[in-house]
Amino acid sequence: MTVEATTLSVHRCRFVDFTPSAVTALAFPPLPLPSVKGKKSIVTRQPLKFGILAVGRANGNIELCEWTGPAQDLQAPQAWVVSKTIPGPYSSKVDSLAFTLRNSDAPSDETPSLSNLRLFSAGGGAELAEWDLERACIRRTIPSQGGSIWCITPNPASTILALGCEDGAVRLFSLEHDTLTHLRRLDRVKSRILSIAWGPPVPKQATVKPAKGEDEEDSGDEDEDEDEDEWKDEWLVAGCSDSSLRKWDVASGRVTDRMGTDKTRGERTLVWAVGTLCDGTIVSGDSLGMVKFWDSRTCTQLHSFQAHGADVLSLTISPEGTAVYTSGVDQKVVQFSRIKTQQPSNSSTSNSLLSRSSTRWVQSVSRRLHSHDVRALAVWPPHTPLPTTHCRQFPLDVAPVLASGGLDMSVVVTPAALPSSTITKVVNPLSTSTVATFEDSYHRRLAYNSGSFHASALHVARQARLLLCQRDAGVSVWRISEKGIGRKSGMERSRDEEEEEGEEVPFPSVGGWEPVLDMDLSVHTNIVTSGISDDGTWVAVADWYESKLFRLQALDNGELKPKRVRDFTSILQAHLPEPVESTGASCLAFTPDGTKLVMACAMTAYLLVIDLSGDKPQVLRRFEQHRSMDFMPGQRVIRGRSKSVQVEDVEMANDSSGDSPRAKSTEAMNVDCSVDAAQQDSSDSDSDSSFHPPSPRKFTTPTITRLAISPDGQYLASTSSSSHTTRTHIFNLDSISHTCTLPSFSSPIHALAFTSSPTSPSSFSSLVLGLADNSIHVYDVETRVFPLWARDSTGQNVPKRVRALHDPILGVAFDFSSRGGTLTPVFWGATWLCRVHLAAGGVGVGRGGFEKKRRWGGKNLATRPAPKGVTGMNTLELGAEGFGRGEEERVRHQENFKLVTTYRPILFVDFMGEKELVVVERPLVDVLAKLPPAFFKPKYGAT
């Protein structure tokens, strides 16, 4: 099949005023404490599986990011991607985040799963919030009884949570047995508690065995208590607002020592950050930019560094405690390293307290990773301040990862291997460079996403030529004019810019845009999802607790007037089981004809199909497939579940080359997903709103993150994610029934779209899936197979260059109005566009369709420059040009995957009409221009 050239007209839209929220807190889950009964030193021989990264935003949202790489791989170019977004109450913020373990008896060398974690946050108020990580809502709140909460820190055993309060008291909350209760209050001081760190716990003293004749029952109770609590907290240290640090004894609750910091002009110094090491050394960072190291026994200063030009706001410690990282207002991230010094040879002073230590701390590296203030630092694997006899030792061949975030809205991840670890080859988990040390490695910026669950907050109405963008508490709609009918220009590049780059292109046609609607809504939480019908008649907006439906009416001046359907909430409540906690939605989608609305319920994972063709909305059916943990059509095994039942009935299409290694590996990867007629009828009846299971079922509440409806309105695809697995279900909207369940994949699904197949051009029954690891899959709904015609362009045949892109797939767009557009989707991420020809069967993809330099007869066949993307309201060429028949296969091999990196950062991509592509950008420069000026301290004699 010959790959034809594709020229697209591109609307390069930069008028969308979306502004992401600043990063205010970062948290990794802690590791379980080792048993004191085992060996003293915990050596982790195998690299730990990367844990969940929690990102707190200034708008109150919390993003849970999971690692994209498989458990057996040490590298993942996409690093962490957002798997779940917890919407915060509107007009709130997140200042502090902390993970704790629900079950502390887990193995100490394993990464805690999401189901074994508890998440706490504080937002500057007087209430502490615990979040339900499965339902993405607040589980419980409790008042601090001491005013505003400035910091929260759990102890290493995850049994006590310490709060630093406005009234100068450290309050301890008990977390045992999955509770949250007030435990005690330590002595109050006359200053605010700005930061807290727990000292290293000590093994609990073993209970003396009773002598003969003593009560054996009492002895058994004591042994039981010993098993329950093996570690004991002795002290904690807090940074205060009166130029000092204070050390508390946990048992008595008394302040035992006070450490004073420097002052300037009589003003009080604020100790914003504090941490403790395994040997008890205390590290602090204050508002003067000073980083100090203290001896916890004598509470005297060991080292002092003027490392920053302004406030030190965050501090974190390397996994083994041999490096400390600090950052703050001056945008620098500074590394402090512990180095060995020569031990004194005088034996008379070797045992004296005045003898020098064999190690000392030095300021080793300083890097500028952000453009504005840095508010949070975190490192994986996390540091646990255990006694030196029980310290963990991690593998030296895998570099730790340092995460940082601040006012420039993006999380930056950096390999943080120490120079001393270069004695062996160190793997860079981020694949940014071969070097993995903090000083020389390349960092990478995780692109900010506009919507929840790493989805886009923008939607397009093709027929009405409307573009909708959701905000925290409102939506805006713009109309994009056709080519040559523009009122406002702003989407095109000048001809001079094109000529400077040496591109010969026709003069661009002028496009235009105009705002037609701007709504501010009354919401409970930040808006989670929204949607607009293809004809521009309906707009749906939802937060986590309420969904709103509006009918749009066009006015004479071109603007739109919304009219809310007032009884929409009561209609939804009538079709949800009692008690109805929420009528919010996690996903919304309209059918192409605008007669149906599909709604994914936020806290219950129900799917509602709503008819909009009548006078008032009417719920046609409620599906429950995403809730049932036992719902497995064909008794298919789902990833993450028990493998007691293994039945394969999803097949690849029969092929004469079925004995090839590639065919075998592909067949082994696929699991059964087809059902016979009896099973399908049973599943259909089970999914009805009057569903009464014949036997008790286990239910879970995952979050449905993606919806896709076929262009003919026949099929619906939905995917959900939970702590157990990721599932994708297919429904038939004509018969309002469940069709099948897809196999689970190793990565979250970021892109869903239906298209036609070469064998059946009139039926849109092929589902295209784009995963977070940039792999692509195609599934035929009617035949229940992964078809052969797409095998050469999907799965393991996706080119290495695409799989190695640092930004994951965010969406896929099809041009259904043009010939051949149904088989050439445009996948897109935050910094790239990729045109893929799905039906490139028979082409040996090899390196994935990218050109490889080869010589034939002394001539280089790879000398033709690749066509460049033309920006603006111009043309974008994606495909091959005219070449001789002898080079046809090489050109087809090269152009099967066409990558364009001209546009960045991208918020949304979709087709508005035939060969008419809309690309919405939000350059980082425009976003940063709205922020206050960054800290700058001029130096004398420097310009």
Side-chain angles (χ1 to χ4, degrees), residues 603-680:
M603 297 174 60
T604 55
Y606 292 117
L607 268 178
L608 301 181
V609 181
I610 305 169
D611 183 19
L612 303 177
S613 59
D615 295 336
K616 58 186 302 184
Q618 179 183 0
V619 177
L620 299 179
R621 190 163 185 182
R622 186 186 77 223
F623 292 104
E624 301 183 358
Q625 274 73 15
H626 283 282
R627 288 173 48 84
S628 176
M629 296 178 62
D630 297 336
F631 183 80
M632 294 184 293
Q635 296 182 336
R636 180 180 61 80
V637 173
I638 298 179
R639 179 178 65 88
R641 291 180 55 86
S642 173
K643 297 183 179 180
S644 58
V645 181
Q646 296 184 5
V647 182
E648 295 187 0
D649 65 0
V650 166
E651 303 174 352
M652 298 296 297
N654 294 329
D655 184 14
S656 59
S657 60
D659 297 332
S660 63
R662 187 181 69 180
K664 289 182 179 180
S665 63
T666 309
E667 291 174 2
M669 180 189 70
N670 293 294
V671 207
D672 175 11
C673 113
S674 64
V675 292
D676 54 22
Q679 290 170 329
Q680 181 174 346

Side-chain angles (χ1 to χ4, degrees), residues 217-232:
E217 293 183 1
D218 295 341
S219 172
D221 294 339
E222 291 174 359
D223 291 340
E224 186 177 351
D225 293 340
E226 177 187 348
D227 293 339
E228 289 180 358
D229 189 10
E230 297 178 343
W231 295 91
K232 179 182 178 182

Side-chain angles (χ1 to χ4, degrees), residues 132-318:
D132 189 329
L133 300 182
E134 187 175 74
R135 303 171 68 204
C137 62
I138 293 178
R139 184 185 181 190
R140 60 165 70 101
T141 60
I142 188 170
S144 68
Q145 298 182 1
S148 300
I149 301 173
W150 285 88
C151 56
I152 57 175
T153 306
N155 68 336
S158 292
T159 57
I160 300 175
L161 188 66
L163 274 64
C165 300
E166 177 76 21
D167 65 347
V170 176
R171 285 173 168 79
L172 304 184
F173 287 75
S174 174
L175 306 179
E176 292 184 326
H177 309 298
D178 201 23
T179 61
L180 180 62
T181 57
H182 286 273
L183 183 62
R184 60 183 300 190
R185 176 179 63 83
L186 305 186
D187 278 356
R188 182 183 287 118
V189 297
K190 295 181 179 180
S191 68
R192 296 190 298 270
I193 307 297
L194 303 180
S195 54
I196 295 177
W198 290 83
V202 295
K204 191 174 182 180
Q205 298 295 329
T207 305
V208 179
K209 293 185 178 181
K212 279 187 176 182
E214 290 186 8
D215 192 357
E216 295 183 358
E217 293 183 1
D218 295 341
S219 172
D221 294 339
E222 291 174 359
D223 291 340
E224 186 177 351
D225 293 340
E226 177 187 348
D227 293 339
E228 289 180 358
D229 189 10
E230 297 178 343
W231 295 91
K232 179 182 178 182
D233 297 301
E234 285 194 331
W235 56 272
L236 59 82
V237 63
C240 305
S241 61
D242 60 348
S243 309
S244 68
L245 293 87
R246 287 179 173 84
K247 179 182 174 183
W248 275 268
D249 181 77
V250 175
S252 64
R254 302 287 185 181
V255 176
T256 59
D257 293 282
R258 180 182 183 274
M259 294 158 275
T261 60
D262 301 338
K263 294 183 181 180
T264 302
R265 303 188 191 98
E267 297 180 358
R268 292 187 175 184
T269 302
L270 309 178
V271 183
W272 291 114
V274 66
T276 56
L277 305 178
C278 293
D279 59 357
T281 301
I282 300 172
V283 190
S284 67
D286 56 42
S287 58
L288 298 180
M290 304 289 294
V291 178
K292 296 179 180 291
F293 292 80
W294 309 81
D295 188 336
S296 62
R297 293 177 299 174
T298 61
C299 290
T300 57
Q301 180 177 300
L302 300 176
H303 308 284
S304 180
F305 301 94
Q306 183 66 57
H308 298 271
D311 299 50
V312 178
L313 301 179
S314 54
L315 179 152
T316 191
I317 303 171
S318 66

Side-chain angles (χ1 to χ4, degrees), residues 506-558:
F507 194 84
S509 302
V510 178
W513 57 272
E514 57 179 341
V516 294
L517 179 63
D518 194 0
M519 286 195 301
D520 291 326
L521 304 175
S522 175
V523 293
H524 303 276
T525 68
N526 296 326
I527 292 178
V528 178
T529 183
S530 59
I532 185 170
S533 61
D534 213 25
D535 56 0
T537 304
W538 298 96
V539 166
V541 183
D543 61 15
W544 206 246
Y545 292 96
E546 184 182 10
S547 299
K548 296 180 173 67
L549 182 64
F550 299 89
R551 185 189 293 270
L552 300 183
Q553 179 182 359
L555 302 179
D556 296 336
N557 58 0

Side-chain angles (χ1 to χ4, degrees), residues 863-934:
T863 56
R864 182 178 69 90
K868 298 182 179 180
V870 182
T871 61
M873 182 58 193
N874 304 3
T875 58
L876 175 66
E877 294 190 4
L878 297 173
E881 299 176 358
F883 276 80
R885 185 178 297 272
E887 294 184 343
E888 180 179 347
E889 287 223 6
R890 184 186 64 82
V891 173
R892 184 174 55 185
H893 176 94
Q894 172 187 353
E895 296 295 338
N896 187 27
F897 289 83
K898 174 61 183 176
L899 196 66
V900 175
T901 58
T902 306
Y903 313 98
R904 61 178 58 194
I906 300 173
L907 299 182
F908 180 72
V909 174
D910 204 350
F911 283 92
M912 182 69 73
E914 183 177 358
K915 296 184 178 181
E916 188 179 355
L917 190 68
V918 174
V919 179
V920 180
E921 295 176 287
R922 186 58 170 161
L924 182 61
V925 177
D926 297 344
V927 175
L928 297 180
K930 294 188 175 182
L931 295 179

Side-chain angles (χ1 to χ4, degrees), residues 324-341:
V324 174
Y325 301 92
T326 60
S327 190
V329 176
D330 64 350
Q331 310 110 43
K332 292 191 304 181
V333 178
V334 180
Q335 181 191 56
F336 299 88
S337 303
R338 186 172 63 185
I339 61 174
K340 294 183 179 180
T341 57

Side-chain angles (χ1 to χ4, degrees), residues 94 125 147 153 283 309 314 317 341 430 450 461 524 547 561 575 595 597 617 697 705 719 749 889 898:
V94 176
T153 306
V283 190
S314 54
I317 303 171
T341 57
L430 306 177
S450 58
H524 303 276
S547 299
K561 179 181 178 181
H575 291 80
T595 59
L597 170 65
R697 279 185 174 180
T705 58
T719 182
I749 297 174
E889 287 223 6
K898 174 61 183 176

Side-chain angles (χ1 to χ4, degrees), residues 220-489:
D221 294 339
E222 291 174 359
D223 291 340
E224 186 177 351
D225 293 340
E226 177 187 348
D227 293 339
E228 289 180 358
D229 189 10
E230 297 178 343
W231 295 91
K232 179 182 178 182
D233 297 301
E234 285 194 331
W235 56 272
L236 59 82
V237 63
C240 305
S241 61
D242 60 348
S243 309
S244 68
L245 293 87
R246 287 179 173 84
K247 179 182 174 183
W248 275 268
D249 181 77
V250 175
S252 64
R254 302 287 185 181
V255 176
T256 59
D257 293 282
R258 180 182 183 274
M259 294 158 275
T261 60
D262 301 338
K263 294 183 181 180
T264 302
R265 303 188 191 98
E267 297 180 358
R268 292 187 175 184
T269 302
L270 309 178
V271 183
W272 291 114
V274 66
T276 56
L277 305 178
C278 293
D279 59 357
T281 301
I282 300 172
V283 190
S284 67
D286 56 42
S287 58
L288 298 180
M290 304 289 294
V291 178
K292 296 179 180 291
F293 292 80
W294 309 81
D295 188 336
S296 62
R297 293 177 299 174
T298 61
C299 290
T300 57
Q301 180 177 300
L302 300 176
H303 308 284
S304 180
F305 301 94
Q306 183 66 57
H308 298 271
D311 299 50
V312 178
L313 301 179
S314 54
L315 179 152
T316 191
I317 303 171
S318 66
E320 296 183 352
T322 55
V324 174
Y325 301 92
T326 60
S327 190
V329 176
D330 64 350
Q331 310 110 43
K332 292 191 304 181
V333 178
V334 180
Q335 181 191 56
F336 299 88
S337 303
R338 186 172 63 185
I339 61 174
K340 294 183 179 180
T341 57
Q342 187 174 359
Q343 185 74 16
S345 59
N346 189 356
S347 60
S348 63
T349 61
S350 60
N351 296 327
S352 172
L353 290 175
L354 301 178
S355 61
R356 290 191 176 185
S357 174
S358 61
T359 60
R360 66 186 302 266
W361 289 89
V362 296
Q363 181 178 337
S364 53
V365 182
S366 177
R367 298 185 60 180
R368 193 179 300 273
L369 305 177
H370 295 265
S371 62
H372 284 69
D373 303 9
V374 180
R375 295 287 306 274
L377 291 175
V379 69
W380 180 264
H383 171 70
T384 306
L386 292 171
T388 53
T389 55
H390 293 78
C391 279
R392 287 189 175 93
Q393 297 180 14
F394 296 93
L396 294 177
D397 56 347
V398 180
V401 178
L402 176 68
S404 58
L407 297 186
D408 56 1
M409 298 103 170
S410 298
V411 177
V412 173
V413 288
T414 312
L418 299 177
S420 58
S421 61
T422 55
I423 55 176
T424 60
K425 184 178 180 181
V426 182
V427 177
N428 181 356
L430 306 177
S431 301
T432 53
S433 58
T434 56
V435 182
T437 58
F438 178 73
E439 181 178 6
D440 301 321
S441 62
Y442 289 106
H443 66 278
R444 62 159 303 220
R445 183 182 298 270
L446 303 183
Y448 49 78
N449 50 296
S450 58
S452 303
F453 321 113
H454 228 129
S456 178
L458 290 95
H459 307 275
V460 67
R462 294 181 179 86
Q463 297 180 19
R465 302 186 64 85
L466 298 177
L467 181 67
L468 179 142
C469 177
Q470 72 186 44
R471 304 187 304 274
D472 289 342
V475 293
S476 299
V477 181
W478 295 269
R479 178 180 289 111
I480 298 179
S481 305
E482 297 182 6
K483 293 181 291 184
I485 314 177
R487 284 176 48 185
K488 298 182 181 180
S489 62

